Amino acid sequence: SSSSPPSSSSSSSDDDVFDWQYREFWRSLVEGPSVKKSARSMVARLNFMDPMGVNLELNGASKGKGKSKGKTVYDFAAEVRALHPRKVVLVRVGDFYEAIGYDAVLLVMHAGLNPMGVGAAAAALVPRAGCPVVKIQETLDRLTHKGFSVAVCEEVPVMNPYGAAKPPKDRYIAAVVTPASPQYVVGAAESGEDVAFDGAAPPPVVGVATSALGYTLITVEPDLRRVQVMEGLTSEAAAARLAAGG
């Protein structure tokens, strides 16, 4: 079928095989009966051969035309996608965080946002969606609650002398927000906001094994990068440890 991976006899490189796996990953997220009606027209405008799912023949995204012109939002987002191939990419653009292609579809499906561009004109536009800066944590919460990780990208502040032409925007990956670490704190101090962390640290990942010497209990806390191993436990001690950890 058309969705089969390249055969071992083909001349495609390892990169081609990775690209196929990568495309199938994103395709699986934006196709199927669970896709909202408001997102289906966006999916129809995706290019599954592109890392961002963007059809560059449509309006709303383009590649840069050389170093003198700087990187476009598409150029930067594609670089981030290469570093984080399974993460949603949100890019700061002025007073908004924007997503294009696959990521825009996921924002509409899971974060309750509306697509940018509606009506007949939308058919000629690259799928885009976004949220105001003040709504970034709410948007991230909705995505992480669905199991997504997000690479959040910020603009580098630039001092622009009066009357001088604006230089090209530089951007950087400010943080990667995950279900285990859902808070985005970049910029919170500048705006004078209190950051409300969601209670205690997430529970550790626990593994249990048995042997002739008793039970072995392994706890892993990814955020703290800590692993604890307890060996030779009785069944009662292992059960008590598990109950104490929730």
Side-chain angles (χ1 to χ4, degrees), residues 46-212:
L46 293 175
N47 172 16
F48 290 102
M49 301 299 291
D50 181 83
M52 301 303 300
V54 167
N55 181 353
L56 291 171
E57 294 183 358
L58 299 177
N59 298 324
S62 63
K63 290 185 177 182
K65 298 179 180 179
K67 293 183 179 180
S68 62
K69 298 294 183 182
K71 294 178 183 176
T72 66
V73 172
Y74 169 84
D75 291 332
F76 178 77
E79 290 182 359
V80 177
R81 175 55 44 78
L83 295 173
H84 300 279
R86 293 174 180 263
K87 294 180 177 65
V88 176
V89 178
L90 279 180
V91 181
R92 177 78 172 263
V93 181
D95 293 329
F96 285 82
Y97 289 93
E98 294 188 8
I100 56 177
Y102 299 124
D103 304 315
V105 176
L106 294 181
L107 287 183
V108 172
M109 289 175 60
H110 302 293
L113 300 179
N114 294 320
M116 294 180 177
V118 294
L125 298 175
V126 165
R128 293 171 60 215
C131 70
V133 169
V134 295
K135 293 289 186 180
I136 182 60
Q137 187 60 56
E138 179 182 332
T139 300
L140 292 172
D141 287 343
R142 292 180 177 182
L143 291 171
T144 55
H145 287 168
K146 291 291 185 178
F148 295 104
S149 295
V150 186
V152 186
C153 307
E154 296 283 350
E155 296 176 333
V156 177
V158 176
M159 294 296 294
N160 189 39
Y162 179 77
K166 290 184 178 181
K169 289 287 182 73
D170 285 328
R171 295 179 170 88
Y172 64 99
I173 301 173
V176 175
V177 179
T178 69
S181 299
Q183 294 295 331
Y184 184 64
V185 299
V186 176
E190 296 176 5
S191 60
E193 297 178 359
D194 291 330
V195 179
F197 292 96
D198 295 334
V205 178
V206 180
V208 181
T210 61
S211 69

